[in-house]
Amino acid sequence: MTEIFTVIDIETTGLDHENDYITEIAAIRTDGIREYGRFHTFVRLPEGAEIPTEITELTGIKSEDLTGAPREWDALASLEAFAWDTTLVAHNAPFDLSFISRVFEPEQFVCTRALSRLVEPNESAKLVDVCTRHGIELYGHHRAMNDVGATVKVFVKLREMAEVNGTSYRNVVIDSEERRDRFGGTSVKVYAA
């Protein structure tokens, strides 16, 4: 049976999963060869919340773009249904998972940032750098669907490298000076579940 992955990305009002909000969610279901579907939604902010200017400058998303969008719980419940019975994949999974865990937690995940550090330990694990290194186009960085499209290609490439070398990469998160794991409350050096 072919394993299906749901590659996700979220955009948020900031980096703090306890005090910031999701603004955009995107996902692609794939087996690494074929695409089985896409999910995309903006997410309505709670009453009185606004997108900070620096986040709008980074993502291009304005508070008014979210008018009429589903509330966060509904958007995450829809993502959970879309991703049902698949392995979640995200670049910097601790960040994305810290926000989506408000509604659901996947049993299996792959962090492509950690995967990059495992198979290319001396290289930058930033999405833009991994894409550049492997000739993967990344247009409109920091928009959820654009980042998901690039992450699908990064995952396929790095997974192949890991499997050739017998490197375990599922449910693995690596903390590094390049990007501290400050989203889960504790710094994680390396763990595998």
Side-chain angles (χ1 to χ4, degrees):
M1 185 167 165
T2 302
E3 183 175 9
I4 305 298
F5 301 91
T6 300
V7 183
I8 67 165
D9 185 64
I10 62 170
E11 299 301 329
T12 64
T13 59
L15 299 176
D16 183 350
H17 71 280
E18 292 180 355
N19 297 305
D20 289 309
Y21 304 99
I22 298 172
T23 58
E24 183 182 33
I25 303 171
I28 295 176
R29 281 177 69 110
T30 181
D31 61 10
I33 299 169
R34 290 179 298 264
E35 182 179 307
Y36 296 103
R38 289 180 177 227
F39 172 88
H40 177 262
T41 187
F42 284 119
V43 180
R44 185 182 337 166
L45 295 177
E47 190 70 34
E50 295 288 328
I51 299 176
T53 304
E54 62 272 14
I55 298 297
T56 295
E57 290 171 1
L58 181 68
T59 65
I61 301 170
K62 301 180 288 292
S63 295
E64 54 267 24
D65 294 333
L66 311 181
T67 303
R71 296 183 199 289
E72 184 177 277
W73 194 94
D74 295 321
L76 288 172
S78 295
L79 174 64
E80 180 182 26
F82 181 79
W84 182 80
D85 202 30
T86 67
T87 299
L88 279 187
V89 178
H91 200 79
N92 194 16
F95 176 77
D96 296 273
L97 297 180
S98 70
F99 280 88
I100 71 169
S101 66
R102 295 172 182 173
V103 172
F104 74 100
E105 294 186 32
E107 291 181 28
Q108 290 280 327
F109 71 87
V110 175
C111 176
T112 54
R113 185 177 72 88
L115 180 54
S116 173
R117 299 301 269 165
L118 289 168
V119 299
E120 301 175 311
N122 298 319
E123 301 289 343
S124 167
K126 292 179 182 177
L127 182 60
V128 67
D129 294 337
V130 176
C131 287
T132 299
R133 216 169 28 252
H134 293 285
I136 296 168
E137 294 178 350
L138 174 57
Y139 297 111
H141 186 33
H142 296 297
R143 284 307 301 269
M145 190 57 79
N146 297 340
D147 287 356
V148 166
T151 302
V152 168
K153 293 173 184 169
V154 163
F155 173 59
V156 169
K157 177 68 176 168
L158 298 181
R159 178 179 69 165
E160 179 181 312
M161 293 170 68
E163 289 177 353
V164 164
N165 295 323
T167 303
S168 178
Y169 59 87
R170 293 171 185 271
N171 293 7
V172 173
V173 176
I174 295 177
D175 188 21
S176 69
E177 291 303 318
E178 177 184 281
R179 190 162 201 170
R180 305 294 299 175
D181 179 20
R182 58 184 176 258
F183 308 109
T186 60
S187 289
V188 177
K189 292 300 179 197
V190 178
Y191 78 86

